[in-house]
Amino acid sequence: MFALRKTEPTAGFTPTYDAPVPEPGAGEVLVAVTHAGVCGTDKGIYEWAPWTAGHVTLGTTVGHEFVGRVAAVGDAVARVRVGQRVSGEGHFACGSCQACRTGYSHVCQEVRILGAGVDGCFADYVVLPEANVWPVHESIPDDIAAILDPIGNAMHTVMTAGVAGRSVVVTGAGVIGAISIAIARAAGAGTIIATDISPRRLDLALEMGADHVLPAADPEWPEQARRLVDGGPDVLLEMSGSPAAIGQGLASLRCGGTAALLGVPTQPVEIDLLNDVVFKGLTIHGVFGRRMFETWYQVENFLLGGRLRLDPVISHRIPLHDYDRAFRLMSSDEAMKIVLVVDPEAA
């Protein structure tokens, strides 16, 4: 089969045309991938960003967002059937640590991650445990089904913050930030403000439901946000990972506000802890991945209920074999979400 692997600690992937088709073991499912989403994490692995050395095993097939059809099942698989259209949770929890046993498997101490330490979905086939397989409703189109993972990240962040009836500021209007705007709107948020350095992303934020957009390059935007909603927004959804945006987002919040932080900084972050957190009585939540599997049910319910229109975030559909083009686009301002077509017959 064809597979994209990370074999060297340098930029790029290694295309492998004769990789063996994996065989599902007991309790495992083999999926023939039809579509796969390209994530910012994949871009970091492609470029071999500094953080990747400690998190990615060389020789691993990359990719973790996908939809496909079940091609085979191993012994003891009872819930999943051959031919079923599925996606999957890419965090493989151990099931026995304290986090797993107390309902926090999304922050499992021994988690293995698809496409980083476990062979992923930028390939014709991928294997995952039956417990991680998510059946996809027939009314959800392939392009959306391929990106249920990042939709889940946005959903987890919004639901953690409790946005209903509250004003919201979103720092970082990239793909997940834009999706979080749509979810916050659907979940009953009041005024929604978005910030970003990219004019194109700010336009997308408005299309996804933001009421106001502010250029993140303007250091006065927190004060502008406080004027737009008297006293400052109630909720910060931090999607950028930018140290400046994190500090400014916290500074923009009203006293007693809530911050949900999903963005991944690549360097230490300095904040005015005393004035912007302690004296303001803020509640800060760190958000990682998706709650398994509460978040998946929430995403499905929002999609099936017609509450989310996410097509605007998908900018390109590109054949998997043309992956270099996809990652070049990811490095430009041309692309938002890219979906790789793995099975040409599914295009």
Side-chain angles (χ1 to χ4, degrees):
M1 71 172 186
F2 180 80
L4 285 182
R5 290 175 169 168
K6 188 69 181 183
T7 59
E8 301 291 339
T10 56
F13 293 141
T14 300
T16 306
Y17 295 88
D18 58 354
V21 176
E23 294 187 9
E28 293 184 332
V29 174
L30 177 69
V31 179
V33 181
T34 61
H35 301 76
V38 180
C39 175
T41 299
D42 300 319
K43 177 177 177 288
I45 298 173
Y46 180 85
E47 296 173 347
W48 201 244
W51 62 265
T52 55
H55 296 86
V56 179
T57 303
L58 292 179
T60 300
T61 299
V62 292
H64 58 276
E65 304 173 8
F66 72 95
V67 67
R69 296 276 177 182
V70 175
V73 298
D75 292 340
V77 170
R79 181 176 57 89
V80 177
R81 67 182 186 277
V82 172
Q84 191 170 11
R85 191 167 69 120
V86 299
S87 183
E89 168 59 58
H91 289 180
F92 300 169
C94 74
S96 58
C97 68
Q98 183 180 22
C100 286
R101 297 182 71 176
T102 54
Y104 292 88
S105 56
H106 61 292
V107 286
C108 168
Q109 298 168 15
E110 304 295 334
V111 67
R112 297 180 302 136
I113 297 179
L114 193 70
V118 179
D119 284 337
C121 64
F122 288 174
D124 293 327
Y125 294 92
V126 64
V127 164
L128 63 163
E130 180 186 21
N132 286 69
V133 173
W134 183 264
V136 177
H137 194 280
E138 61 184 11
S139 69
I140 298 175
D142 285 328
D143 285 351
I144 301 301
I147 62 168
L148 290 176
D149 173 301
I151 298 172
N153 290 341
M155 181 68 72
H156 185 187
T157 309
V158 173
M159 292 300 153
T160 295
V163 303
R166 305 173 77 191
S167 54
V168 175
V169 60
V170 179
T171 47
V175 172
I176 298 181
I179 293 172
S180 75
I181 291 168
I183 293 172
R185 176 61 68 215
T191 300
I192 299 176
I193 302 166
T195 73
D196 201 282
I197 59 174
S198 165
R200 183 185 179 191
R201 291 180 176 184
L202 293 179
D203 287 342
L204 178 62
L206 290 170
E207 188 175 2
M208 300 300 286
D211 298 292
H212 306 280
V213 294
L214 300 173
D218 181 354
E220 299 302 316
W221 79 254
E223 180 58 36
Q224 295 176 46
R226 287 192 292 269
R227 289 197 296 267
L228 287 170
V229 284
D230 187 28
D234 298 302
V235 172
L236 165 65
L237 304 178
E238 207 305 295
M239 304 297 192
S240 71
S242 161
I246 294 168
Q248 290 171 321
L250 293 173
S252 75
L253 290 182
R254 70 169 64 248
C255 293
T258 301
L261 312 182
L262 179 74
V264 180
T266 57
Q267 62 193 61
V269 177
E270 291 188 11
I271 61 173
D272 189 343
L273 188 65
L274 182 64
N275 292 306
D276 288 340
V277 178
V278 176
F279 284 172
K280 289 168 68 172
L282 297 190
T283 299
I284 299 179
H285 298 275
V287 181
F288 180 65
R290 299 144 300 280
R291 291 191 65 90
M292 297 182 280
F293 280 84
E294 177 184 7
T295 301
W296 287 82
Y297 285 105
Q298 290 169 336
V299 169
E300 182 177 74
N301 286 334
F302 271 61
L303 290 172
L304 297 183
R307 300 178 187 176
L308 299 179
R309 188 177 69 87
L310 302 181
D311 291 344
V313 304
I314 299 173
S315 61
H316 295 79
R317 301 172 86 252
I318 296 174
L320 175 62
H321 288 248
D322 200 11
Y323 66 93
D324 271 324
R325 177 183 167 225
F327 284 94
R328 286 196 302 271
L329 286 167
M330 284 283 288
S331 297
S332 71
D333 200 33
E334 287 185 61
M336 290 300 293
K337 192 65 177 180
I338 297 175
V339 173
L340 298 175
V341 180
V342 181
D343 177 4
E345 295 182 1

